[in-house]
Amino acid sequence: MLTLFDYLPSQNGWKVRQLLAHLQRPYRTQIVSIFEGEGRRPEYRAISPTGTVPAIRLDDGRVLAESNAILGLLADGTAYLPDEPFARARVQQWLCFEQERVESQIGTLRHWTMTGKLARRSEAMVNARRDAALKALGILDGELASRAFVAGDAYTIADIAVFAYASHAEEAGLSLQPYPHFREWLQRVRAQPGHLAEWHPYSIDPHSAGELG
């Protein structure tokens, strides 16, 4: 059985949980206490070189880290990742966008906000993240004005990946009011069969307010 190395407040972890739910694929969970230093232990670094979650171990013992790489592997041969080369590349395009423009900006700003770290960051740093996050939302809103889903007319792992952090933008102090097409897309994603509405706040982990070494 597949093993998922997870940290429940991580929306990167949610991505994999969501796809596994869609696929109705059984798995076991091993929680990694990131802010207690478990991610820095050599035995976990052998699974995830950066010490981050999620990661998976396959039935044959092979391991893979990085949420979007995991999505690509698990979705291969399913409706959530097209077989046609150009359509598949479009999904990859938006997976790259998600990591560069969504997770790293909206996700980071949300984490700082929800764990009390915002006050420990410089004003310039916070403003730069906020400006980049708003730009990402603007791009998504413009793209979603002409199609139903992020990479085309069908729901794919690109939607799962972008939704993970972008859907929580308000928890980063970002208003979604200026982005009507984006908000309509959020509702389309939430309406997908098997959508995981459950999420876990950082407050369930008393160590999350600390800084990673």
Side-chain angles (χ1 to χ4, degrees):
M1 183 182 294
L2 182 146
T3 299
L4 171 63
F5 297 90
D6 202 356
Y7 172 72
L8 293 179
S10 168
Q11 288 301 108
N12 280 326
W14 175 91
K15 296 175 190 176
V16 180
R17 280 176 249 140
Q18 176 62 90
L19 180 58
L20 289 168
H22 284 320
L23 298 175
Q24 298 184 332
R25 180 168 176 173
Y27 64 97
R28 63 171 62 92
T29 299
Q30 185 168 324
I31 297 297
V32 180
S33 299
I34 293 294
F35 288 95
E36 292 181 84
E38 285 190 13
R40 296 192 294 272
R41 294 178 180 173
E43 56 268 30
Y44 186 64
R45 286 291 179 90
I47 297 167
S48 173
T50 60
T52 57
V53 294
I56 59 171
R57 179 185 288 123
L58 302 176
D59 295 343
D60 61 10
R62 290 180 296 172
V63 294
L64 183 68
E66 302 299 332
S67 59
N68 289 351
I70 295 168
L71 291 182
L73 175 68
L74 298 180
D76 192 41
T78 76
Y80 302 103
L81 182 61
D83 288 328
E84 194 279 319
F86 185 80
R88 194 179 186 98
R90 286 277 294 176
V91 170
Q92 293 293 336
Q93 171 189 329
W94 289 100
L95 292 177
C96 293
F97 175 90
E98 187 273 335
Q99 284 291 280
E100 182 180 356
R101 304 295 185 95
V102 177
E103 191 269 348
S104 63
Q105 308 301 333
I106 297 174
T108 298
L109 191 59
R110 172 180 177 263
H111 173 71
W112 291 348
T113 302
M114 296 185 75
T115 57
K117 295 173 185 172
L118 203 64
R120 306 204 295 267
R121 304 296 186 257
S122 71
E123 183 178 358
M125 183 183 293
V126 172
N127 287 340
R129 294 280 181 175
R130 184 171 287 118
D131 289 346
L134 292 172
K135 184 176 181 180
L137 290 171
I139 291 170
L140 287 167
D141 191 66
E143 292 289 318
L144 290 163
S146 60
R147 58 181 181 271
F149 295 103
V150 169
D153 295 328
Y155 173 79
T156 68
I157 57 172
D159 297 282
I160 295 173
V162 172
F163 184 92
Y165 284 103
S167 65
H168 290 272
E170 290 178 321
E171 294 164 5
L174 306 170
S175 173
L176 297 183
Q177 192 59 37
Y179 312 110
H181 306 297
F182 175 78
R183 287 186 280 111
E184 289 168 3
W185 169 79
L186 291 179
Q187 294 308 311
R188 286 193 291 274
V189 172
R190 291 180 178 123
Q192 295 299 308
H195 176 73
L196 290 181
E198 181 183 31
W199 65 280
H200 303 272
Y202 287 102
S203 59
I204 68 170
D205 176 12
H207 302 280
S208 65
E211 303 287 357
L212 289 172

